[in-house]
Amino acid sequence: DLEKQTIIGTIECGSEILMGCISEQEEYIVLTTALKHLEVFLLSTREKIASVKLEKKCSAMETRLFKETEYLIIGDKVGDIMAFDLPKLGKKTFLIGHCATVITGLVNVGDYLASSDRDEKVFICHFPQTFNIQSICVGHKQYISAMITVNDRIVTGSADGT
């Protein structure tokens, strides 16, 4: 359990690290860099095990376990959301696109994937059949700046202060 461990060591990516996440099964750390690289490291040894060059900068990331397969889900600066298989990043699958220019957040809620954007909306889609949109949540007057889940409920924050 990661809460009971102290991780000692350094991981080098070769350029500025923009964001990262730890896989749901706590085996891998995934980092994205300013040079649009997506890199996967084995958490126990910090050994790099996969790397891919993205077409656009990553703006949100989340991991998801589905039918015994772990996925890395990323949103990019043009509003597209893709899934990669972990840990090898060998298969890239387009999930859904937003009309907004930037995906600002991704969270898992039960059988759903929630994604937020710069157009004040949160999309709730079935995973992995993200073409099946459950709902679109609106109400903020400016872009969604933060999104988390608490007890299977989505909590959002916005640049409008709400």
Side-chain angles (χ1 to χ4, degrees), residues 52-95:
V52 295
K53 174 95 168 148
L54 299 171
E55 295 173 27
K56 304 292 180 194
K57 279 188 181 175
C58 182
S59 59
M61 65 173 31
E62 180 80 4
T63 61
R64 175 75 185 242
L65 190 60
F66 180 76
K67 293 188 178 180
E68 299 182 21
T69 301
E70 193 157 19
Y71 297 94
L72 171 68
I73 303 166
I74 65 162
D76 67 22
K77 297 278 185 180
V78 296
D80 291 334
I81 300 172
M82 284 89 40
F84 291 87
D85 59 322
L86 273 178
K88 296 297 181 187
L89 305 176
K91 182 180 177 191
K92 175 182 170 183
T93 305
F94 177 79
L95 295 178

Side-chain angles (χ1 to χ4, degrees), residues 14-112:
S15 73
E16 177 187 1
I17 297 170
L18 298 179
M19 68 181 59
C21 67
I22 294 176
S23 64
E24 267 191 52
Q25 295 184 323
E26 300 178 349
E27 285 184 71
Y28 311 105
I29 185 166
V30 183
L31 303 171
T32 183
T33 72
L35 296 177
K36 301 185 227 173
H37 285 107
L38 188 60
E39 300 186 351
V40 179
F41 298 84
L42 193 59
L43 193 56
S44 60
T45 63
R46 297 175 306 282
E47 171 191 358
K48 184 190 298 186
I49 54 176
S51 179
V52 295
K53 174 95 168 148
L54 299 171
E55 295 173 27
K56 304 292 180 194
K57 279 188 181 175
C58 182
S59 59
M61 65 173 31
E62 180 80 4
T63 61
R64 175 75 185 242
L65 190 60
F66 180 76
K67 293 188 178 180
E68 299 182 21
T69 301
E70 193 157 19
Y71 297 94
L72 171 68
I73 303 166
I74 65 162
D76 67 22
K77 297 278 185 180
V78 296
D80 291 334
I81 300 172
M82 284 89 40
F84 291 87
D85 59 322
L86 273 178
K88 296 297 181 187
L89 305 176
K91 182 180 177 191
K92 175 182 170 183
T93 305
F94 177 79
L95 295 178
I96 191 169
H98 284 235
C99 292
T101 55
V102 178
I103 301 300
T104 59
L106 294 167
V107 295
N108 296 309
V109 185
D111 293 336
Y112 302 97

Side-chain angles (χ1 to χ4, degrees), residues 109-126:
V109 185
D111 293 336
Y112 302 97
L113 173 68
S115 56
S116 60
D117 63 30
R118 298 277 303 185
D119 283 344
E120 308 92 35
K121 291 188 260 340
V122 176
F123 284 76
I124 313 294
C125 303
H126 288 270

